[in-house]
Amino acid sequence: MNDSDRSQKLLDQWHKAAERGLRGKPLASLERETPEGIRLTPLYTETDLDGIDHMGVPPGITPYVRGPYPTMYAGRPWTIRQYAGFSTAEASNAFYKQALAAGGQGISVAFDLPTHRGYDSDHPRASGDVGMAGVAVDSVEDMKILFDGINLGNTSVSMTMNGAVLPILGGFVAAAEEQGVPQSELRGTIQNDILKEFMVRNTYIYPPAPSMRVVGDIIRHCSGEMPRFNTISISGYHLQEAGADAALELAYTIANGKAYVETALAGGLDVDAFAPRLSFFFGIGMNFMMEVAKLRAARLLWAEVMGTFSPKDPRSSLLRTHCQTSGWSLTSQLPYNNIVRTTIEAMAAVFGGTQSLHTNALDEAMALPSEFSAQIARHTQVILQEETDIPAIADPWAGSYAMESLTDQLAQQARKIMAEVDQAGGMVKAIETGLPMRRIETAAARKQARIDRGTDRIVGVNRFRPEEEEPPEVLRVDNSMVRENQQRRLAEIRASRDEAAVQGALKELTQAAKEARGNLLDLTIRAMRLRATVGETTAALEEVYGRHQEQARALGGVYGEMWKDDADWAALKETINDFARREGRRPRILLAKLGQDGHDRGVKVVAAAFADMGFDVDLGPLFQTPDEAAAQAVESDVHVVGASTLAGGHRTLAPELVQALKARGAEDIVVVVGGVVPKQDIPELLEKGVAAVFGPGTPAMESGRRVMELLGANRSG
């Protein structure tokens, strides 16, 4: 009997055994299709490897499916990073020192939302967000404090910054110089991935075209002056957090990378002068096998894309990536389960071949990580490195029938999506038409509908949910204290600097933008050395480029499609119809994002769900002040305002919204808050006039029912 006959005989035996075990159910009932359109089956065999070209290619060899380096972690483990930043530069500096002493191997800086959006801490639009979701940085003085006692000559620093990337990178360079470290010795990464900001995260400042000029100027400057510094971290993480499935995340991330390469080439650079310092950043969720396959497929696809630019340096085609475990998969219910989730995701990142990794803390579904939870998150990686043999083998999944098949199928799905982008004229054009945003929003709405129905199971949320639980202590930031501290420091800087020199540098920056000349990063570094602020340098360019405003839109029909045969859903729709008959119009809700938080996955999913329930939904523009939201609510004559929160500003902004409505004589408009709200904050919000709070994991239908109850109580009262 030859090998082929033997394999077929064993397969026939397996089929018979499986059918007996299923007691008459067809084997096909065990198969399912993933959100990516990939068929999963209980058994993979050697026939699933037919036509896969990369089989047998070792790591470190193009197309790098098995890893970018020949020996992978056996030669050098991945870098353990801790993404952190909160409150003041002093508080964050203390955290970084502690993290480095406890096993961290690099610093990843999280900036607060006003900094991301190019506002100084004393700007009126910054009030509720200063220091809340990251560290407030307004000038070189803040940068110097942030890295005080940390040698920037031998510490790798990663900075998640896109919108205000010029003053932040410029301030970092100036702070390093004053520490005695020249630009040429700086190591690390600036995210500088503005395209994904227009797609999902929304911490953009300028419109797409000038934003791409900024990207190009940074690449050009760093290619000449900062040869050890990565000029872009092309991010899929935020696409996943916004609801993209693995194929969408993979395709759009690679397509964004291609657009940046084209931008640099159009600026006159040789591909090998910058491509080796492009890096990537992927999110790692709970679909273990798919996440491992995603990183392997990413290296394959990047090698294919870079091959079209004919590089001579093999490093130009080599995809290196940082990974972060999912923040979205964390739950506020049974939060200690998040340790398990993060461990599973960390293992997927390592098995996929990441070069560095951040593990989220167990309490990040509710607030910034505490010292206790951050230590557990770091030690998760230390244990994987020190107590297992996982690092000893490069790509131990190579040759797996299932893994190789998933890698190949995922790459095929991504190629189809990338072809759609190409047909649209490239990623910049596709973003202008809204194509990738629609695809991601549709995926997010379907995902949430599956969770709310219990099709996608999450322990503690829709399975094994506890009746009562004690919430863990969470880190709370005193927003007013941080704001006052920053305002004082800004006043001191402005009083002590050479004002004429600063204004001259800012004017030169404006002229360079107006006349399309010079290098914007060069000019920003000069301005930051003179103690210009983040807000001032941003405003100097905003004078020419303007500030981009995304058009708000609600997606209809996707969420409700998953519920069309559900009796409770039908009953809720009938309740809403009764209201419409009684009041002469449908219940109208304004969904608002207050402050500088641009994460809009949640509010868009809620908008889709409420629209399908039968509400009239107004989706407010991003970055509203409470006063602007109140004005829109009154003008639109809504019954309810739903304030969506993720970044901790709710304690300031939601009460301000209540007061703004009262000031307009609109006390009858119901205010509710939804999103990441620690249970400890709920009594304070209710006391200050918020009618209801819907925390993480609240099903949309439950929120809809409660809103209708409030409207009934409001009308009868």
Side-chain angles (χ1 to χ4, degrees):
M1 181 184 297
N2 60 37
D3 289 343
S4 177
D5 290 340
R6 182 174 182 275
S7 295
Q8 186 59 52
K9 184 176 180 180
L10 289 171
L11 190 58
D12 291 341
Q13 290 175 352
W14 178 84
H15 274 282
K16 290 176 182 177
E19 287 169 356
R20 285 196 301 271
L22 290 172
R23 299 184 180 181
K25 286 176 61 179
L27 267 172
S29 66
L30 299 181
E31 297 180 353
R32 66 181 183 86
E33 188 173 280
T34 72
E36 296 81 12
I38 293 172
R39 181 182 61 86
L40 292 183
T41 181
L43 181 69
Y44 288 82
T45 69
E46 59 191 20
T47 60
D48 292 291
L49 306 184
D50 292 345
I52 298 179
D53 295 333
H54 67 258
M55 294 294 298
V57 179
I61 307 296
T62 187
Y64 306 108
V65 174
R66 297 191 61 187
Y69 305 121
T71 58
M72 288 302 291
Y73 309 138
R76 179 183 176 185
W78 67 92
T79 300
I80 299 172
R81 289 192 180 275
Q82 190 78 39
Y83 178 59
F86 59 93
S87 183
T88 61
E90 292 90 342
S92 295
N93 173 260
F95 184 93
Y96 296 150
K97 288 177 177 175
Q98 183 183 53
L100 290 169
Q105 298 162 342
I107 294 171
S108 293
V109 183
F111 297 94
D112 74 355
L113 291 167
T115 304
H116 273 289
R117 294 270 294 148
Y119 292 120
D120 287 333
S121 297
D122 57 359
H123 194 284
R125 288 189 175 275
S127 62
D129 294 307
V130 176
M132 294 302 292
V135 59
V137 172
D138 294 317
S139 72
V140 172
E141 294 303 316
D142 290 329
M143 278 287 187
K144 288 170 66 178
I145 295 168
L146 192 63
F147 298 112
D148 181 49
I150 298 171
N151 188 338
L152 294 177
N154 58 24
T155 302
S156 176
V157 176
S158 173
M159 292 180 286
T160 300
M161 178 53 62
N162 302 280
V165 63
L166 289 171
I168 288 301
L169 186 53
F172 176 70
V173 167
E177 289 172 342
E178 295 184 25
Q179 199 185 81
V181 181
Q183 294 184 50
S184 60
E185 293 183 15
L186 291 173
R187 295 186 299 116
T189 304
I190 188 78
Q191 192 162 97
N192 194 26
D193 177 10
I194 200 63
L195 290 177
K196 69 95 173 45
E197 297 296 325
F198 292 111
M199 292 163 67
V200 293
R201 191 163 172 259
N202 301 311
T203 57
Y204 43 69
I205 299 175
Y206 316 116
S211 294
M212 289 298 280
R213 180 198 167 175
V214 169
V215 171
D217 280 5
I218 289 172
I219 293 174
R220 280 188 289 279
H221 175 94
C222 293
S223 294
E225 304 295 331
M226 302 170 68
R228 305 173 70 189
F229 204 82
N230 297 319
T231 53
I232 303 183
S233 175
I234 305 152
S235 175
Y237 178 85
H238 301 96
L239 306 183
Q240 184 187 88
E241 293 289 284
D245 59 47
L248 288 170
E249 179 191 359
L250 180 57
Y252 290 150
T253 304
I254 299 297
N256 283 346
K258 180 182 178 182
Y260 294 132
V261 171
E262 291 169 342
T263 296
L265 293 175
L269 285 176
D270 179 82
V271 66
D272 291 323
F274 66 89
R277 285 186 309 285
L278 300 178
S279 65
F280 287 78
F281 173 26
F282 285 100
I284 305 296
M286 283 296 289
N287 193 337
F288 182 85
M289 298 289 287
M290 193 67 75
E291 296 295 1
V292 177
K294 182 177 71 183
L295 297 186
R296 301 172 90 249
R299 292 189 289 270
L300 171 67
L301 292 173
W302 187 241
E304 290 176 359
V305 166
M306 290 306 297
T308 65
F309 299 110
S310 304
K312 296 180 176 62
D313 187 341
R315 295 176 303 164
S316 295
S317 301
L318 184 154
L319 182 146
R320 296 167 300 112
T321 189
H322 171 69
C323 288
Q324 181 174 341
T325 60
S326 174
W328 185 85
S329 71
L330 302 178
T331 67
S332 63
Q333 301 88 349
L334 299 176
Y336 289 100
N337 286 348
N338 292 332
I339 299 173
V340 180
R341 293 186 176 100
T342 295
T343 302
I344 291 167
E345 291 167 352
M347 290 179 67
V350 171
F351 280 131
T354 190
Q355 278 57 73
S356 62
L357 178 62
H358 164 77
T359 34
N360 284 329
L362 68 96
D363 48 5
E364 287 188 63
M366 299 158 283
L368 292 167
S370 65
E371 181 181 329
F372 168 75
S373 66
Q375 182 184 62
I376 293 173
R378 281 193 303 274
H379 284 177
T380 299
Q381 295 194 58
V382 174
I383 289 168
L384 288 177
Q385 286 190 355
E386 301 291 339
E387 297 188 24
T388 76
D389 281 335
I390 290 173
I393 303 172
D395 191 23
W397 288 91
S400 158
Y401 299 148
M403 183 56 67
E404 298 292 9
S405 177
L406 288 176
T407 300
D408 182 62
Q409 290 184 75
L410 189 56
Q412 290 181 39
Q413 294 298 104
R415 288 188 190 103
K416 294 175 186 175
I417 299 167
M418 291 164 66
E420 184 180 52
V421 171
D422 288 339
Q423 289 164 9
M427 188 50 93
V428 175
K429 292 288 187 184
I431 288 171
E432 289 172 352
T433 67
L435 171 65
M437 291 83 104
R438 289 194 300 273
R439 295 278 185 266
I440 293 171
E441 289 162 20
T442 298
R446 286 174 177 158
K447 175 71 173 175
Q448 192 60 52
R450 291 195 304 271
I451 292 170
D452 289 353
R453 288 213 69 173
T455 305
D456 288 3
R457 300 175 180 181
I458 301 177
V459 174
V461 175
N462 59 18
R463 297 280 290 173
F464 310 107
R465 186 167 184 169
E467 292 183 8
E468 295 288 337
E469 61 175 321
E470 189 69 24
E473 288 297 317
V474 296
L475 179 67
R476 300 181 76 171
V477 173
D478 185 343
N479 168 247
S480 60
M481 180 276 292
V482 180
R483 192 166 67 246
E484 289 168 7
N485 180 73
Q486 293 301 116
Q487 289 171 345
R488 174 187 54 76
R489 189 174 293 151
L490 280 165
E492 291 172 353
I493 290 168
R494 289 171 181 144
S496 61
R497 69 191 184 181
D498 184 336
E499 191 64 27
V502 170
Q503 293 305 318
L506 292 173
K507 185 176 180 181
E508 190 174 351
L509 190 58
T510 300
Q511 285 301 117
K514 190 176 295 183
E515 298 169 12
R517 61 172 174 79
N519 186 290
L520 297 180
L521 180 55
D522 291 343
L523 295 169
T524 303
I525 291 172
R526 293 177 201 171
M528 297 302 288
R529 286 173 180 148
L530 293 167
R531 293 316 189 257
T533 69
V534 168
E536 289 167 342
T537 54
T538 300
L541 294 178
E542 191 178 338
E543 188 177 325
V544 179
Y545 297 144
R547 189 172 275 266
H548 182 69
Q549 181 65 60
E550 185 68 35
Q551 284 296 111
R553 59 193 180 278
L555 183 73
V558 176
Y559 185 94
E561 177 66 20
M562 303 287 291
W563 287 87
K564 60 185 179 182
D565 58 349
D566 184 85
D568 291 336
W569 177 261
L572 176 57
K573 292 190 71 171
E574 187 55 33
T575 299
I576 293 168
N577 289 334
D578 285 343
F579 179 96
R581 286 188 286 268
R582 185 173 69 247
E583 298 288 330
R585 64 185 183 117
R586 293 188 169 278
R588 191 176 194 93
I589 184 169
L590 167 64
L591 294 171
K593 289 290 294 183
L594 304 179
Q596 296 308 303
D597 173 21
H599 296 85
D600 60 355
R601 168 189 178 140
V603 74
K604 285 183 174 177
V605 168
V606 171
F610 271 58
D612 289 351
M613 289 173 200
F615 282 80
D616 284 336
V617 177
D618 292 351
L619 191 53
L622 291 170
F623 314 120
Q624 281 187 310
T625 65
D627 197 61
E628 288 168 344
Q632 183 180 355
V634 172
E635 182 181 344
S636 300
D637 193 20
V638 303
H639 301 97
V640 187
V641 179
S644 173
T645 180
L646 180 73
H650 54 271
R651 292 175 60 207
T652 300
L653 299 171
E656 287 182 5
L657 173 62
V658 172
Q659 292 305 314
L661 288 168
K662 284 184 178 178
R664 286 173 167 76
E667 296 95 332
D668 61 326
I669 295 179
V670 176
V671 175
V672 298
V673 173
V676 180
V677 181
K679 288 186 178 180
Q680 294 91 327
D681 291 353
I682 293 176
E684 178 184 344
L685 293 176
L686 297 178
E687 184 181 328
K688 292 183 176 179
V690 172
V693 177
F694 305 116
T698 305
M701 190 155 61
E702 183 179 320
S703 301
R705 274 197 296 259
R706 179 66 179 134
V707 166
M708 291 309 298
E709 290 171 3
L710 289 168
L711 288 182
N714 204 39
R715 291 297 176 269
S716 62

